[in-house]
Amino acid sequence: MSASTNEKNIGNVVPVEHSVAAGAALFRQGDAASGLFYLVSGRVRLVRLTPAGTEVTMHTVLPGEFFAEASLFSPRYHCDAIALSDSIMLLYPKKALTAEFRRNTEDLWQFAARLARQVQGLRGRLTLRQIRSARERVLQALRLQCDEEGFWKNRGTLKQFAEEIGLTHEALYRTLAELERSGKIVRLPDGIGLQEK
Amino acid sequence: MSASTNEKNIGNVVPVEHSVAAGAALFRQGDAASGLFYLVSGRVRLVRLTPAGTEVTMHTVLPGEFFAEASLFSPRYHCDAIALSDSIMLLYPKKALTAEFRRNTEDLWQFAARLARQVQGLRGRLTLRQIRSARERVLQALRLQCDEEGFWKNRGTLKQFAEEIGLTHEALYRTLAELERSGKIVRLPDGIGLQEK
DNA sequence: CGTCACATTGATGCCTCTCAAAGCTTGTGG
DNA sequence: CCACAAGCTTTGAGAGGCATCAATGTGACG
């Protein structure tokens, strides 16, 4: 009955698709919070204007990410959102979403669960960045993401992977080459095999 | 009536204090999730055993942090929690907390809000780490945390601050000295003044 | 007044970034 | 089917910056 007819829905809330051209602002600091966003394609930078007047990038949103979650709990946005390239996104209107959450606690529960997983994931990434050595950082990243057989399946390009773990792509390529030479990994067309004793 | 008599409470849920000796485990991967924790003092490492059999640190918990939020949404813990030093923590029992959240949606709402803020904060820290230059990273960190007058008030030691932003303390000291020499900041006994034009 | 942790500065070396060039893959259009 | 372009992949050379090790100064606290 009240089941989602579309997996993009949150509960019964149907998102609205938006297109934004490169350079345009989705919202500005101080604007009334219109809702939660999900980036389908493109790239969005969240920028905060500091008291001192300088810009500080809070986050760069990549496709597949939700952003502006905090807007649900605040009347106004706390940063600017600027499209870095032509972008498509879904907007879950705040009013509909809060009404939905009030009506159906289960959906709010699921939403909280998603946030909790996000916190977990972000903490993990932050911890990964603590590792200074490229070799160790790459190994840990592979260990975290591999399956039971110790196989890490390609997801996107290695260049993207490099950015994700905070290395230049050159550093990653070199590190992978060295790891293979020393027998720690085996590189295959569709992924990387870990050789832990 | 149902107001919290203690600011440590979440809704009407009263936490249970626990003490754990250095080296002891709070919980192990696969244990039934007992609840949400808050670290009062000490230090706790969250370690995941990977399929390959190696240990990967997911996060190191510092005093003042909640952890194991995801346990509320999962029947079992997904990592080990080991006390690095003698630690004191509060446990919010899962059963009581879920009952409370079901009973009082407002508390669940507040909890979700806290998670959303945490996501925001973590993303910001992650973005800060993207900045490779020590000079720029320190400046951004100061900008993010300063008040309207561009004043950054001391919170803990500089050594802690260095760790927070991912630098060695030596590198931070040197960078601060250089920033003061070049007139970007003014160092005072109780904080740091930013000199943005 | 001694200890302990923080704060500060010096010297050194390595590791990663940066710039550069070339091979490789994929897709597109003639 | 080939040619070309664009983006990813890979390796090279060089430099700079941060980590590391080390020593000393400083402040708080018992």
Side-chain angles (χ1 to χ4, degrees):
Chain A
M1 331 274 175
S2 71
S4 300
T5 57
N6 186 322
E7 61 180 22
K8 286 174 181 173
N9 294 2
I10 295 181
N12 284 320
V13 178
V14 182
V16 185
E17 189 167 314
H18 282 258
S19 291
V20 177
L26 256 127
F27 53 78
R28 295 278 185 185
Q29 194 166 336
D31 286 357
S34 53
L36 172 70
F37 287 92
Y38 175 85
L39 187 62
V40 176
S41 68
R43 198 168 276 228
V44 173
R45 179 159 32 170
L46 303 180
V47 181
R48 200 177 124 200
L49 292 170
T50 65
T54 48
E55 283 191 349
V56 178
T57 299
M58 301 298 298
H59 183 50
T60 300
V61 185
L62 299 179
E65 268 183 71
F66 282 91
F67 63 103
E69 295 94 342
S71 65
L72 295 179
F73 308 99
S74 161
R76 309 199 162 274
Y77 287 113
H78 294 101
C79 60
D80 292 6
I82 313 289
L84 288 177
S85 57
D86 294 349
S87 301
I88 299 174
M89 60 212 64
L90 305 177
L91 167 62
Y92 298 83
K94 178 174 179 173
K95 206 165 178 178
L97 215 46
T98 50
E100 169 71 14
F101 286 157
R102 221 184 333 267
R103 198 178 59 75
N104 185 347
T105 308
E106 177 59 22
D107 289 336
L108 175 54
W109 184 256
Q110 292 302 331
F111 184 67
R114 173 150 57 197
L115 288 172
R117 276 192 299 271
Q118 227 165 101
V119 167
Q120 247 191 329
L122 286 167
R123 279 185 188 151
R125 286 175 63 180
L126 210 46
T127 304
L128 189 69
R129 299 292 180 97
Q130 298 278 39
I131 303 173
R132 313 210 187 265
S133 152
R135 185 188 161 106
E136 289 311 311
R137 196 190 299 174
V138 170
L139 275 175
Q140 293 287 59
L142 292 175
R143 285 179 188 132
L144 277 172
Q145 299 180 2
C146 70
D147 62 20
E148 283 76 21
E149 282 84 30
F151 187 76
W152 181 86
K153 196 133 180 288
N154 279 342
R155 298 199 316 273
T157 68
L158 287 178
K159 208 176 168 185
Q160 287 168 349
F161 182 53
E163 191 174 358
E164 195 179 313
I165 65 177
L167 290 176
T168 58
H169 59 278
E170 296 99 322
L172 175 61
Y173 292 132
R174 275 186 251 271
T175 304
L176 289 177
E178 192 281 325
L179 285 172
E180 183 159 44
R181 271 196 300 277
S182 59
K184 290 284 186 183
I185 64 171
V186 178
R187 302 189 63 182
L188 300 170
D190 58 338
I192 294 174
L194 268 165
Q195 307 296 119
E196 313 260 20
K197 272 159 294 299
Chain B
M1 330 275 178
S2 69
S4 299
T5 57
N6 187 323
E7 61 181 22
K8 286 173 180 172
N9 294 3
I10 294 180
N12 284 319
V13 178
V14 182
V16 186
E17 190 168 311
H18 281 259
S19 291
V20 177
L26 255 124
F27 53 78
R28 295 278 186 186
Q29 195 167 338
D31 286 357
S34 53
L36 172 70
F37 287 92
Y38 174 87
L39 187 62
V40 177
S41 68
R43 199 169 276 229
V44 173
R45 181 160 29 168
L46 303 180
V47 181
R48 201 178 124 199
L49 292 169
T50 65
T54 48
E55 284 190 349
V56 178
T57 299
M58 301 299 297
H59 182 52
T60 301
V61 185
L62 300 180
E65 269 184 70
F66 282 91
F67 63 103
E69 294 95 341
S71 65
L72 295 179
F73 308 99
S74 162
R76 309 199 162 274
Y77 288 111
H78 295 100
C79 60
D80 293 6
I82 313 288
L84 288 176
S85 58
D86 293 349
S87 301
I88 299 173
M89 59 212 64
L90 305 178
L91 168 61
Y92 297 83
K94 177 175 179 172
K95 205 165 177 179
L97 216 46
T98 50
E100 169 71 15
F101 286 157
R102 222 184 333 266
R103 198 179 59 75
N104 186 346
T105 308
E106 178 60 21
D107 288 337
L108 175 54
W109 185 256
Q110 292 301 330
F111 184 67
R114 174 150 56 197
L115 288 173
R117 278 192 298 271
Q118 229 165 98
V119 167
Q120 247 191 330
L122 286 167
R123 278 186 189 152
R125 285 175 64 180
L126 210 46
T127 304
L128 189 68
R129 298 292 182 94
Q130 299 277 40
I131 303 174
R132 314 215 184 260
S133 151
R135 185 188 161 106
E136 289 311 309
R137 195 191 300 175
V138 170
L139 276 175
Q140 292 287 59
L142 292 175
R143 285 178 189 134
L144 276 173
Q145 298 180 1
C146 71
D147 62 19
E148 283 76 20
E149 282 83 30
F151 188 75
W152 182 85
K153 196 131 181 285
N154 278 342
R155 297 197 318 272
T157 67
L158 287 178
K159 211 177 166 183
Q160 287 168 349
F161 182 52
E163 192 174 357
E164 195 179 313
I165 65 177
L167 291 175
T168 60
H169 58 278
E170 297 99 322
L172 175 62
Y173 293 136
R174 276 186 249 271
T175 303
L176 289 177
E178 193 281 325
L179 285 173
E180 182 159 44
R181 270 197 300 278
S182 59
K184 289 284 188 184
I185 63 172
V186 179
R187 304 189 62 182
L188 301 169
D190 58 337
I192 293 173
L194 268 165
Q195 307 296 120
E196 313 261 20
K197 272 158 295 297

